Amino acid sequence: MSIMRVKSVEQSIQDAEAPEFRLRRVLRAVDLLGIGIGAIIGTGIFVLTGVAAATDAGPGISISFVFSGIACGLAALCYAEFASVVPVAGSAYTFSYASLGEFLAWVIGWDLMLEFVIGASTVSVGWSQYFVEALSALGLGLPESLTAAPGAGGAMNLPAAIIALLLTVVLVVGIRLSASVTNVVVAIKLAVVLFFIIFGAFFVKTANWDPFIPPHQPPDPSETGSALNDPLINAIFGSTGSFGVSGLVAGAALVFFAYIGFDIVASGAEETRRPQRDMPIGILGSLAVCSVLYVLVSLVMTGIVKYDKLDTAAPMATAFQAIGAPWAVGLVSLGAIAGLTTVILILMLGQARVGFAMARDGLLPVYFAKVHPKYRTPYRITVITGIVVAIIASLTPIDVLAEMTNIGTLFAFVLVSIGVLVMRRTRPDLPRAFRVPLVPVTPILAALACLYLMLNLEGWTWLRFGIWMALGLLIYFVYSKHRSRLGRGETIEDAAEEAD
């Protein structure tokens, strides 16, 4: 019973067409663009831009965004080819199953579960903070015991739990409703981002861009601490300090969080009307739009306020305060709430689709692959996802776990990039509506760029990631390896009977 057994593309597509597990194909290219932009524009643009500028890159943070955008762009090309060849739910998990084998597919599926659940929980907490502040501005304050986790001075974070459960209902009712809600909210936050760029451009002072790339600052020998608090790359090459060229790279690793989301578009392949054409448009289009907006926002932000004053939780609000426009802070809060809402929705969407695909393959209990008879959504795994996110968000003060989302996503990008090379060699006969240019150079560069960004994450993140993956390996060898439908030679009809 080989753990490297491969599930063919043809079998994946056949399983997706089984009546008991068929999802409703309703998404268009514009919906995929909305999902991509909705997932990408969130915490990264509203929070991390200022922190990265103040501590790592200075005004050159715009170059850091370009670095991260290039790494993501290379990976996006690989995602686009896979999504056009294997238009099935599951994203990187499904792609890996068709190219690298079951064991690595399980590894990436387990990894994606960490990325999506922790990411959705983290963003739910952020949403709660903005929501509570908005209520306070209206004189409708909530007791602290209901707005903070036990470790942060409260009993539970009720708003974080409520938003996760409400969005779970939206996801269960249907992908069409989810896409419609996403498109409306995306329009709101795009309007806010464009307002910041256009209005703020009139207050840019070029003197604030001097120096554009601050001189390199070597590490302070008096500041000693645990090696686990430093990027892993420091343990390999020694501490590099901040600013300068190394600061640009460190900034790129930090703001990478701002790009997470375009890969979730691939999770909707099975619910897209014309996936071969529309998936590449959704994946590459959303990444291109957001990359341009990120560079412009970072240029305007560092042009309004000197970079060393942007180490705040709300750099856009800081910029508006600096130009004497406190009234605009409310607009930023509205954009942040809208942005974070769609990020939560789409992260849970991605988790539900990956879990659904793994359950349909028998690597998770087939019970979770049951599709709602009316809405044609994987409602069981969606409800479980929503409950888990609500519990984590309401009871856990999440801070450094946000980096877990980064490392999980980058790891997925590396495997998908390698998978393109493998699939080109093993299945050159497959029709490819979209083809990655300059193979093998592009996939190799994508894998190396993402691996390098992974090395710029701190040691604690790598340690937690290793523990999570070790738990996943235990589950695979104890349960999933023996319950795999591919390994047991079961048909999709057998799975349908077991799911009932």
Side-chain angles (χ1 to χ4, degrees):
M1 186 185 298
S2 174
I3 63 174
M4 302 307 292
R5 50 193 171 226
V6 174
K7 183 179 181 181
S8 70
V9 173
E10 292 81 3
Q11 186 174 351
S12 294
I13 295 175
Q14 180 181 352
D15 288 352
E17 294 301 323
E20 297 84 0
F21 299 112
R22 184 185 300 135
L23 303 179
R24 184 171 293 163
R25 292 190 179 273
V26 296
L27 297 179
R28 304 159 297 172
V30 66
D31 298 318
L32 296 175
L33 279 170
I35 289 174
I37 295 173
I40 296 171
I41 296 181
T43 305
I45 191 66
F46 290 111
V47 177
L48 294 182
T49 305
V51 175
T55 61
D56 290 311
I61 187 62
S62 58
I63 299 177
S64 297
F65 272 117
V66 173
F67 284 170
S68 282
I70 290 173
C72 290
L74 293 171
L77 292 171
C78 300
Y79 267 86
E81 174 166 318
F82 260 126
S84 68
V85 174
V86 195
V88 177
S91 186
Y93 158 77
T94 299
F95 305 157
S96 297
Y97 212 161
S99 57
L100 302 176
E102 180 178 286
F103 177 70
L104 289 178
W106 165 265
V107 168
I108 200 63
W110 185 250
D111 164 65
L112 290 175
M113 289 170 64
L114 173 71
E115 171 195 344
F116 294 148
V117 169
I118 294 298
S121 302
T122 304
V123 179
S124 295
V125 174
W127 184 96
S128 174
Q129 293 171 346
Y130 273 102
F131 181 72
V132 170
E133 290 178 4
L135 288 181
S136 297
L138 297 174
L140 301 174
L142 293 176
E144 185 178 357
S145 61
L146 296 179
T147 60
M156 69 175 299
N157 194 329
L158 185 60
I162 290 176
I163 187 61
L165 294 176
L166 285 177
L167 293 179
T168 299
V169 174
V170 173
L171 288 171
V172 168
V173 170
I175 189 68
R176 176 73 263 173
L177 175 61
S178 303
S180 299
V181 171
T182 297
N183 289 340
V184 171
V185 181
V186 164
I188 294 173
K189 66 179 176 181
L190 278 180
V192 171
V193 171
L194 290 173
F195 170 78
F196 178 84
I197 294 171
I198 297 171
F199 180 71
F202 291 99
F203 299 91
V204 168
K205 297 178 182 178
T206 56
N208 288 331
W209 289 337
D210 186 20
F212 194 75
I213 302 177
H216 174 69
Q217 294 181 6
D220 187 347
S222 64
E223 295 181 358
T224 59
S226 171
L228 292 175
N229 292 324
D230 296 329
L232 185 63
I233 197 170
N234 287 1
I236 301 174
F237 299 106
S239 183
T240 56
S242 56
F243 300 112
V245 175
S246 61
L248 296 180
V249 177
L254 181 58
V255 301
F256 176 81
F257 189 88
Y259 282 102
I260 291 174
F262 76 84
D263 56 316
I264 300 178
V265 175
S267 299
E270 200 170 318
E271 294 158 281
T272 303
R273 292 177 181 176
R274 291 184 286 182
Q276 286 77 10
R277 188 203 71 168
D278 293 344
M279 291 306 298
I281 293 175
I283 293 172
L284 298 174
S286 59
L287 181 61
V289 169
C290 293
S291 296
V292 172
L293 291 177
Y294 283 176
V295 171
L296 292 176
V297 165
S298 60
L299 285 172
V300 171
M301 185 181 296
T302 55
I304 295 175
V305 181
K306 195 68 175 177
Y307 69 89
D308 56 2
K309 294 181 175 61
L310 287 172
D311 190 5
T312 69
M316 281 188 175
T318 299
F320 280 138
Q321 292 286 4
I323 61 178
W327 56 270
V329 175
L331 284 177
V332 173
S333 297
L334 174 63
I337 291 174
L340 298 179
T341 299
T342 55
V343 173
I344 299 167
L345 177 74
I346 295 165
L347 284 171
M348 291 200 300
L349 168 69
Q351 161 59 22
R353 296 315 183 265
V354 170
F356 165 74
M358 295 177 73
R360 188 167 59 186
D361 290 332
L363 300 186
L364 292 177
V366 179
Y367 171 85
F368 295 122
K370 181 69 174 179
V371 173
H372 195 284
K374 177 180 178 181
Y375 302 122
R376 307 306 300 172
T377 56
Y379 69 102
R380 288 176 177 172
I381 191 65
T382 299
V383 171
I384 291 295
T385 297
I387 292 174
V388 171
V389 169
I391 292 173
I392 294 175
S394 64
L395 300 178
T396 311
I398 300 175
D399 42 24
V400 296
L401 286 182
E403 284 201 11
M404 295 297 290
T405 308
N406 280 14
I407 196 169
T409 305
L410 284 164
F411 185 60
F413 288 0
V414 170
L415 287 187
V416 168
S417 301
I418 295 173
V420 167
L421 293 175
V422 174
M423 187 71 83
R424 284 287 188 96
R425 178 175 293 273
T426 59
R427 295 298 306 273
D429 57 306
L430 288 174
R432 290 169 168 83
F434 178 87
R435 299 177 67 89
V436 175
L438 301 178
V439 172
V441 175
T442 299
I444 291 175
L445 287 177
L448 292 176
C450 293
L451 180 60
Y452 185 68
L453 289 179
M454 288 178 71
L455 293 176
N456 278 273
L457 296 173
E458 66 174 31
W460 278 115
T461 301
W462 280 88
L463 179 60
R464 295 185 186 100
F465 182 67
I467 294 173
W468 174 258
M469 297 311 295
L471 176 61
L473 294 182
L474 177 63
I475 294 174
Y476 175 76
F477 285 108
V478 170
Y479 176 85
S480 303
K481 177 176 179 289
H482 307 289
R483 299 294 299 176
S484 165
R485 192 163 56 81
L486 183 63
R488 298 168 70 182
E490 293 182 347
T491 65
I492 192 66
E493 289 77 15
D494 296 330
E497 292 181 5
E498 186 175 347
D500 290 330

